[in-house]
Amino acid sequence: MTTPLFRDDAYLRTCEAEVIGVNERGGIVLDRTVFYATGGGQPGDSGALELEDGTKLEIATAVYEEDKKTIVHVPSEGQNLPGTGSRVTAHIDWARRYRLMRMHTALHLLSVALPFPVTGGQIGDPEGRLDFDMGDETIDRDALVEKLNALASGDHEVTTQWITDEELDANPGLVKTMSVKPPRGSGKVRLVRIGSDVDLQPCGGTHVTRTSEIGVLDLGKIENKGKQNRRVRIRLTD
């Protein structure tokens, strides 16, 4: 089991850790990490593990084992792996992570600007997307991008809180996504709140602390995906 430091502080860029295992595929397991593992539509972090002698091991991504509690750091090919018990310093690619954080928060705002059931999504850099079950509704591009940027520039605080599985079951309206269910199994679920009343939904991803950090957003392609689904892409403009 890996302690996910990113869950309590998404702005941590580095941490010291111990190698507690290397799996049969060459993935490295640490006792604690700042690397976000692929999940909820957000890609895993890339970066490096700095070994005790100062050499750096390039990490291509991070993923969860089947238990959803153990994070595996996947190295690029052709590198020497550290042994169990080794001490390392984990460094994420902060520039990439921060842009993914901005996009992830922006997609939460998109779900506010378009209040329809979400059927899928993907966080990317510089573009992300959500799929909506909109029926016959149409989208006014100009009005949507204006609303998105008004929400982002509103400088709303982004915070997290935890509720029990039972509390989530009693409030099913908190779940906007039809295809991705909130992570369960620990008895509690993490919520991400934007402002006092802008948005509240289950999410295990990393986010900025204020919506003003997102910057100016633009709309990308809007596509029909099936009879009722609409795929809406947004992108960071810087």
Side-chain angles (χ1 to χ4, degrees):
M1 184 173 177
T2 309
T3 301
L5 300 178
F6 56 81
R7 194 166 290 163
D8 293 322
D9 186 354
Y11 288 78
L12 280 177
R13 308 181 188 194
T14 185
C15 74
E16 293 185 353
E18 180 181 339
V19 178
I20 58 175
V22 177
N23 68 21
E24 65 277 6
R25 298 181 299 277
I28 301 164
V29 179
L30 306 179
D31 64 337
R32 61 206 297 263
T33 190
V34 290
F35 278 73
Y36 180 83
T38 302
Q42 181 173 332
D45 282 325
S46 56
L49 298 183
E50 183 179 353
L51 309 184
E52 292 176 289
D53 63 2
T55 60
K56 288 189 176 181
L57 180 67
E58 182 181 341
I59 300 299
T61 189
V63 297
Y64 280 106
E65 284 280 22
E66 292 182 3
D67 63 7
K68 301 299 182 183
K69 297 178 181 179
T70 303
I71 295 175
V72 179
H73 303 74
V74 182
S76 300
E77 294 184 2
Q79 302 181 94
N80 294 324
L81 303 182
T84 300
S86 301
R87 299 293 302 178
V88 299
T89 303
H91 304 273
I92 60 171
D93 180 343
W94 172 247
R96 176 176 179 268
R97 155 72 87 75
Y98 187 56
R99 291 176 68 83
L100 291 172
M101 287 165 57
R102 291 166 58 202
M103 176 54 69
H104 199 159
T105 308
L107 288 174
H108 279 223
L109 295 182
L110 179 60
S111 75
V112 174
L114 290 175
F116 302 97
V118 176
T119 59
Q122 184 65 46
I123 297 124
D125 173 20
E127 189 174 82
R129 54 97 174 164
L130 288 179
D131 299 346
F132 296 93
D133 183 356
M134 294 183 57
D136 296 325
E137 296 285 342
T138 59
I139 295 175
D140 183 327
R141 290 182 62 96
D142 291 339
L144 177 56
V145 76
E146 182 179 353
K147 185 170 185 178
L148 267 177
N149 282 306
L151 287 167
S153 64
D155 195 34
H156 302 286
E157 186 179 15
V158 183
T159 58
T160 61
Q161 66 188 80
W162 293 86
I163 62 172
T164 64
D165 289 348
E166 292 74 22
E167 287 174 312
L168 181 62
D169 291 338
N171 294 275
L174 290 173
V175 182
K176 295 185 176 183
T177 54
M178 299 171 65
S179 58
V180 179
K181 299 303 180 183
R184 291 173 178 259
S186 65
K188 59 181 182 178
V189 176
R190 180 175 180 258
L191 302 181
V192 172
R193 180 186 295 274
I194 300 178
S196 59
D197 57 1
V198 175
D199 189 49
L200 179 66
Q201 59 178 295
C203 182
T206 59
H207 292 269
V208 292
T209 57
R210 305 200 72 87
T211 59
S212 56
E213 296 179 56
I214 294 170
V216 178
L217 296 165
D218 197 5
L219 282 183
K221 190 175 182 181
I222 298 176
E223 304 172 87
N224 293 335
K225 291 292 182 179
K227 186 176 181 180
Q228 295 180 311
N229 280 302
R230 301 292 182 273
R231 176 165 292 177
V232 181
R233 302 179 186 273
I234 61 174
R235 55 176 175 258
L236 306 173
T237 60
D238 61 327

